[in-house]
Amino acid sequence: FVGNSTYLDDHGPPPQKVLPFPSQVVYNRVGKCGSRTVVLLLRILSEKHGFNLVTSDIHNKTRLTKNEQMELIKNISTAEQPYLFTRHVHFLNFSRFGGDQPVYINIIRDPVSRFLSNYFFRRFGDWRGEQNHMIRTPNMRQEERYLDINVCILENYPECSNPRLFYIIPYFCGQHPRCREPGEWALERAKLNVNENFLLVGILEELEDVLLLLERFLPHYFKDVLSIYKNPEHRKLGNLTVTVKKTVPSPEAIQILYQRMRYEYEFYYYVKEQFHLLKRKFGLKSHIRKPSPRPEFFIPSPLETEEPINDEEEDDEKWLEDIYKR
């Protein structure tokens, strides 16, 4: 005879699972800023560490109606914790709809470099397959597909002018209609959200240091991420996502792009400065440069982490606790 267990009579209910903090993380990935490389890593890490990786098959809808925002926030908030949700989507204010605001993370890159990567990716795809681009842009006419980048910029085609070039800031500004308008309002709101809602915004040009800090800030998600990233097998997979047939526009065209993207560059330099402050607090050296009159991608930027420096201005662990309390 198998009777009912009497364990609960003597011991009470089993203790609740203790969740790591934070247990709700959103990576609202900016397009062409290394996100496919990071998602490859997250798939490995979720299996290794047992967190819930929630991804989306929607890649081309970053701006949502109020009802769409409510529905997405509801779906995210009810996911099993600890979770990390990732999707190309402009910043969502969970608290506006009565939800708990998750911790946000993201990565950006030099704006012109990002634009060029996207321009050629839409036309020619990457090393994963020659027909990759045909799936993403099936209706692109041949004359558009082979449009010279200099012609696009110098003759002011829509793809190479505002508001199309105002791309990175809305991911941090949010869903407000003014977030799509190039200007000071969207820029300042994006900066405010970086300060108040993002645990870390890294820059792709220093990806290894981004991964180091993510491992330090969110070990239950990113422990061992750098060793996985440096593994030759992972590098082989990562190389398949590199855009093919990229060419560099003329200096004249680059300068025009640079001027059209002045708000994007102001935001990029702001994020870069904040990222370098974080690196310094955790003993990672950065080469501080004044903003250059030419786009950053002309300037070599090592991905390797340099030797740590001594910095005893503030206790690292206490400072990290303060970040979590923001």
Side-chain angles (χ1 to χ4, degrees):
F1 175 76
V2 180
N4 293 327
S5 171
T6 59
Y7 179 85
L8 293 181
D9 295 338
D10 297 329
H11 299 85
Q16 288 187 334
K17 179 182 177 183
V18 178
L19 293 171
F21 182 80
S23 61
Q24 303 169 81
V25 177
V26 172
Y27 171 33
N28 65 321
R29 44 195 287 207
V30 181
K32 305 310 295 175
C33 289
S35 62
R36 283 180 294 161
T37 295
V38 176
V39 169
L40 282 173
L41 290 168
L42 285 169
R43 287 174 183 156
I44 298 169
L45 292 166
S46 65
E47 291 288 330
K48 185 179 177 69
H49 301 316
F51 63 85
N52 183 18
L53 178 62
V54 185
T55 60
S56 173
D57 293 329
I58 302 172
H59 300 290
N60 57 357
K61 191 171 179 59
T62 57
R63 307 165 182 173
L64 309 178
T65 66
K66 183 178 178 181
N67 286 337
E68 287 171 338
Q69 291 178 57
M70 291 174 64
E71 186 66 24
L72 181 57
I73 287 172
K74 178 183 176 182
N75 291 339
I76 297 172
S77 300
T78 55
E80 182 183 353
Q81 299 181 26
Y83 70 73
L84 191 151
F85 174 78
T86 177
R87 172 179 163 178
H88 295 297
V89 63
H90 294 169
F91 175 78
L92 293 162
N93 188 344
F94 282 60
S95 57
R96 179 188 175 198
F97 300 102
D100 294 330
Q101 190 70 8
V103 161
Y104 271 81
I105 59 174
N106 218 321
I107 301 172
I108 65 174
R109 74 193 283 188
D110 177 273
V112 167
S113 181
R114 194 218 68 82
F115 164 74
L116 293 176
S117 181
N118 184 64
Y119 184 90
F120 292 104
F121 176 71
R122 291 183 69 242
R123 285 161 171 78
F124 308 116
D126 54 33
W127 289 109
R128 290 177 298 174
E130 274 296 313
Q131 299 304 312
N132 180 270
H133 60 289
M134 302 295 283
I135 297 170
R136 291 180 177 270
T137 54
N139 299 319
M140 184 179 282
R141 301 187 308 274
Q142 285 298 95
E143 59 267 29
E144 184 183 357
R145 193 175 301 281
Y146 292 97
L147 175 65
D148 183 87
I149 184 68
N150 290 300
V151 173
C152 184
I153 297 166
L154 298 175
E155 297 188 12
N156 207 24
Y157 278 67
E159 187 176 358
C160 299
S161 59
N162 279 317
R164 297 277 188 89
L165 296 179
F166 193 69
Y167 182 87
I168 297 173
I169 287 175
Y171 275 87
F172 300 87
C173 179
Q175 297 289 335
H176 193 286
R178 291 187 69 183
C179 288
R180 307 165 200 170
E181 301 171 5
E184 290 289 338
W185 189 90
L187 170 64
E188 293 306 318
R189 183 162 173 152
K191 289 180 181 179
L192 183 66
N193 275 332
V194 166
N195 293 337
E196 294 186 350
N197 292 294
F198 283 79
L199 177 63
L200 176 68
V201 183
I203 59 171
L204 184 62
E205 293 83 358
E206 299 171 38
L207 179 58
E208 288 194 7
D209 288 343
V210 177
L211 298 178
L212 274 172
L213 289 179
L214 283 171
E215 183 170 358
R216 183 66 179 269
F217 291 179
L218 301 168
H220 43 290
Y221 294 97
F222 287 96
K223 190 175 187 302
D224 300 323
V225 65
L226 196 56
S227 60
I228 296 170
Y229 172 71
K230 289 184 172 183
N231 183 291
E233 287 302 312
H234 178 269
R235 283 293 177 96
K236 191 186 301 181
L237 285 174
N239 287 339
L240 294 177
T241 66
V242 174
T243 302
V244 299
K245 298 186 180 179
K246 274 198 293 188
T247 60
V248 177
S250 68
E252 180 188 3
I254 288 293
Q255 289 304 321
I256 289 173
L257 273 184
Y258 192 66
Q259 291 303 316
R260 289 175 184 170
M261 304 174 83
R262 61 188 181 278
Y263 293 113
E264 294 274 276
Y265 270 100
E266 187 171 339
F267 181 72
Y268 172 75
Y269 287 127
Y270 176 80
V271 166
K272 186 174 183 179
E273 181 182 11
Q274 299 301 309
F275 179 63
H276 285 173
L277 286 173
L278 278 178
K279 284 174 61 174
R280 181 168 178 81
K281 286 178 183 293
F282 286 89
L284 301 174
K285 187 184 294 184
S286 299
H287 293 296
I288 306 299
R289 300 187 189 93
K290 293 181 180 179
S292 169
R294 53 184 179 159
E296 194 79 2
F297 73 88
F298 277 131
I299 305 168
S301 181
L303 291 178
E304 299 298 325
T305 301
E306 300 182 36
E307 289 296 316
I309 58 172
N310 293 322
D311 189 349
E312 300 178 353
E313 295 177 4
E314 189 171 359
D315 179 73
D316 289 349
E317 299 303 329
K318 181 181 182 304
W319 186 83
L320 186 54
E321 289 175 12
D322 292 340
I323 286 184
Y324 284 144
K325 291 175 184 175
R326 286 194 312 205

